[in-house]
Amino acid sequence: MSAQQFGIVVGVDGSPSSTVAVEWAARDAEIRDVPLHLVHVVAPAVTPIEPWVDPSSPSSFPRHQEQQARRIVEEARGVAVAATSSDRASQITGEVLYAPVVSALVDLSGRAEMIVVGCRGQGAVTHFLLGSVSSGLVHHAHCPVGVIHDEEPHTSPPSRAPVVVGIHGSPASELATAIAFDEASRRSVGLVALHAWNDMGPLDFASMNWAPIEWRNIEVREEEALAERLCGWRERYPDVDVHQVVVCDRPTPRLLEQASTAQLVVVGSHDHTALPGMLLGSVSRTVVNAAQIPVIVARTPRPGAHTTESR
């Protein structure tokens, strides 16, 4: 399958977080009408050489590891099939790879429409921290990355909840906008387009002695700029009801505020404080860590890769 263009790829490892990611990815692949490919990556193992180890272990361990890996993929496929329509089964495939986990998934992302993983961090201390795999992907993947947080049934957002997108005018933000409109359209829900036009909070302006009329002029200008950025997308997706939110504030708390009543939030892979293609921006990083709903990080695909903009 190495030459095949994947639809959505989801990394699986048998954990509860992985199961939630498979369910979400299966449903998203269905509404996009693209294949779903499940991948379990087995990292290179170091064969024990201590004297107490049974001599048969080195030969039996790889066989046991392979059996376990295939069981994880098969169980994930069962979860995906159960989460979607019966006619989707033929569109759900799986494989086991033997390689360093992050590099293998990054390589697959170059041939995928999106790659999805669960968010690690189950304990009280690490609850807001990405795991090594999800963190590696949002920093280095060649396509958008879906990071799915652990969800309890009673806290899952309603199906009519909107999609939220953060917009700040960069190429990554434009891709995030494309993804957000596409997701909102396919889910038949509204879209909240948020533009926070200053990194300072409102109280910071008082100390700068900005006149209210000047503040309002800037706000009007930013509202017009956002409307202009969205104009083409509104025409392409006339079925999406767009709610514009323009605030003079830091973007992170406002995005998280909107995410509290949404079903999905989409952010760019970096902002103006980060080095493009290398570092995840501070806004995106915090939203991915703290939002308790699925987050799509709009990483730029390789040239020629399929994106939602081709719809």
Side-chain angles (χ1 to χ4, degrees):
M1 298 183 66
S2 60
Q4 178 182 337
Q5 178 68 52
F6 296 114
I8 293 180
V9 172
V10 55
V12 301
D13 62 8
S15 68
S17 179
S18 171
T19 298
V20 174
V22 170
E23 292 174 342
W24 186 91
R27 292 191 294 266
D28 204 62
E30 182 172 30
I31 65 174
R32 292 180 184 223
D33 193 24
V34 297
L36 177 71
H37 190 56
L38 309 166
V39 179
H40 177 65
V41 184
V42 180
V46 178
T47 303
I49 58 173
E50 288 82 353
W52 53 266
V53 174
D54 186 333
S56 64
S57 295
S59 61
S60 64
F61 179 71
R63 183 169 61 253
H64 169 74
Q65 193 176 46
E66 181 177 0
Q67 291 172 347
Q68 184 180 39
R70 297 197 179 283
R71 177 183 57 78
I72 289 173
V73 171
E74 284 304 309
E75 289 179 353
R77 189 174 186 280
V79 170
V81 169
T84 55
S85 304
S86 57
D87 60 352
R88 287 283 302 171
S90 63
Q91 294 292 303
I92 301 172
T93 57
E95 70 174 320
V96 175
L97 297 177
Y98 295 85
V101 179
V102 174
S103 62
L105 292 176
V106 167
D107 181 63
L108 284 175
S109 73
R111 307 191 298 280
E113 182 171 320
M114 180 166 66
I115 190 162
V116 177
V117 289
C119 180
R120 298 297 177 265
Q122 307 296 326
V125 176
T126 60
H127 182 66
F128 293 109
L129 301 180
L130 286 178
S132 59
V133 174
S134 51
S135 179
L137 283 173
V138 297
H139 282 80
H140 302 294
H142 304 296
C143 70
V145 179
V147 180
I148 314 304
H149 291 258
D150 297 330
E151 298 171 277
E152 296 294 336
H154 64 277
T155 61
S156 298
S159 61
R160 305 306 303 164
V163 173
V164 174
V165 60
I167 298 177
H168 55 79
S170 72
S173 174
E174 188 71 3
L175 177 57
T177 305
I179 294 170
F181 266 92
D182 189 73
E183 289 281 353
S185 176
R186 295 183 187 279
R187 295 163 187 262
S188 299
V189 299
L191 175 67
V192 177
L194 184 142
H195 172 54
W197 57 270
N198 203 289
D199 285 338
M200 295 185 294
L203 296 179
D204 295 320
F205 281 91
S207 63
M208 296 175 63
N209 297 317
W210 279 42
I213 185 64
E214 186 173 2
W215 186 343
R216 178 56 186 162
N217 289 345
I218 296 175
E219 188 174 29
V220 170
R221 184 187 66 194
E222 295 296 330
E223 288 173 350
E224 292 174 347
L226 177 59
E228 184 176 348
R229 290 191 189 107
L230 295 175
C231 183
W233 294 110
R234 287 179 186 268
E235 293 177 358
R236 186 178 299 188
Y237 294 92
D239 58 314
V240 176
D241 182 24
V242 181
H243 176 51
Q244 293 184 199
V245 178
V246 177
V247 293
C248 172
D249 199 358
R250 298 177 179 88
T252 303
R254 293 308 185 100
L255 279 169
L256 291 174
E257 178 183 56
Q258 293 293 334
S260 67
T261 56
Q263 64 172 283
L264 172 68
V265 59
V266 186
V267 292
S269 58
H270 60 82
D271 54 29
H272 65 276
T273 63
L275 299 175
M278 293 183 64
L279 302 176
L280 193 67
S282 59
V283 173
S284 304
R285 181 175 60 249
T286 304
V287 171
V288 171
N289 281 329
Q292 294 305 296
I293 61 172
V295 179
I296 295 179
V297 180
R299 291 207 47 90
T300 305
R302 285 175 172 170
H306 176 78
T307 73
T308 53
E309 292 183 73
S310 63
R311 180 185 178 204

